[in-house]
Amino acid sequence: MTKPSVLFIIGPTASGKSALAVALAKKLKGEIVSADSMLVYKGMDIGTAKPTKKERSGIPHHGIDLIPPTRNFSVFAYRQFALKAIKDIARRGRVPIVAGGTGFYVRALLEGLSPLPGANASIRRQLEREAMEKGLPALYKRLLKLDPKRARSIGAHNQRRIIRALEIYHISGKRPSQVSSKTPGLKDLGFNPIVIGLHRDRAALYRKIN
């Protein structure tokens, strides 16, 4: 059996992703899955260039207006939602078309994600404060003791990654090197992803954005 295809329409803001996705959906009996981190929020229509009902042309769109702006929405939540939508669309014999400009969302589907915990603002602030007060070598020494493998791979001078590694340990109780295996990408899940990247003349792109 052939693998079900998943089309990806990617590119910068105002490059024409939404219009192309709708046109392809009409021709291919497809449904659109948004890969835009701002379109998940209800009410944020103008500044996000959210496609109107008229622009959607009756094509089902998934991943738009999911939550109020007062709630957080992580890439982990997006991947879970989008994979379910893609599987449901394919199961109905239609073509999933992922369209959007949030690269992290697109990579989460194509390449998978490392199952690491999300950020914790209070822990990160505390670690940043320690880096200022005690110096980065003190944090690196702590990481070397907790997780020598990850510490050596990061090196002693990358403050952002040292702090992130310690943050992961404090949140999960596990060494970061223990939780680094990725979740599967679409190919591993039995799909055939086809990526179409849009490019426009920069001056024309700025005119359209304005």
Side-chain angles (χ1 to χ4, degrees):
M1 292 179 65
T2 58
K3 294 180 178 181
S5 293
V6 182
L7 297 186
F8 282 78
I9 312 297
I10 62 174
T13 300
S15 58
K17 298 183 297 293
S18 297
L20 178 58
V22 167
L24 286 172
K26 288 179 178 178
K27 288 185 175 291
L28 302 175
K29 295 184 179 178
E31 298 183 20
I32 295 169
V33 180
S34 170
D36 189 303
S37 60
M38 291 293 102
L39 298 193
V40 301
Y41 296 109
K42 298 176 183 176
M44 295 177 62
D45 298 347
I46 297 172
T48 62
K50 185 180 293 179
T52 64
K53 288 186 178 180
K54 183 178 179 181
E55 289 169 333
R56 297 176 204 178
S57 300
I59 300 297
H61 280 61
H62 307 267
I64 295 178
D65 293 333
L66 298 181
I67 58 172
T70 51
R71 286 177 53 195
N72 290 326
F73 194 76
S74 69
V75 67
F76 297 95
Y78 170 78
R79 176 184 152 87
Q80 186 176 28
F81 171 88
L83 283 178
K84 183 179 185 305
I86 288 169
K87 290 174 183 177
D88 288 345
I89 293 165
R91 195 178 295 121
R92 295 196 302 272
R94 299 177 71 83
V95 178
I97 301 174
V98 180
T102 301
F104 199 14
Y105 279 16
V106 171
R107 289 195 301 275
L109 294 174
L110 288 173
E111 302 170 7
L113 276 177
S114 178
L116 298 173
N120 182 299
S122 62
I123 290 176
R124 184 168 295 182
R125 280 196 299 269
Q126 175 62 31
L127 290 168
E128 288 171 348
R129 201 157 42 239
E130 287 185 44
M132 289 181 63
E133 294 172 356
K134 300 178 182 178
L136 185 59
L139 291 187
Y140 185 67
K141 186 177 179 181
R142 189 191 310 172
L143 182 59
L144 266 174
K145 186 176 181 181
L146 293 172
D147 191 344
K149 181 179 178 182
R150 178 53 60 91
R152 284 192 291 268
S153 71
I154 291 172
H157 307 293
N158 193 324
Q159 178 168 314
R160 183 182 63 83
R161 293 186 66 195
I162 291 169
I163 287 176
R164 174 59 179 155
L166 289 170
E167 178 187 31
I168 290 167
Y169 178 80
H170 285 297
I171 294 171
S172 66
K174 297 180 180 178
R175 295 193 299 271
S177 59
Q178 289 180 310
V179 288
S180 59
S181 58
K182 279 190 172 184
T183 55
L186 280 173
K187 278 188 179 179
D188 299 319
L189 294 171
F191 290 93
N192 175 36
I194 300 168
V195 180
I196 301 170
L198 302 186
H199 299 273
R200 290 176 71 104
D201 174 75
R202 189 172 294 274
L205 194 66
Y206 287 166
R207 284 197 299 271
K208 189 174 181 188
I209 291 171
N210 289 337

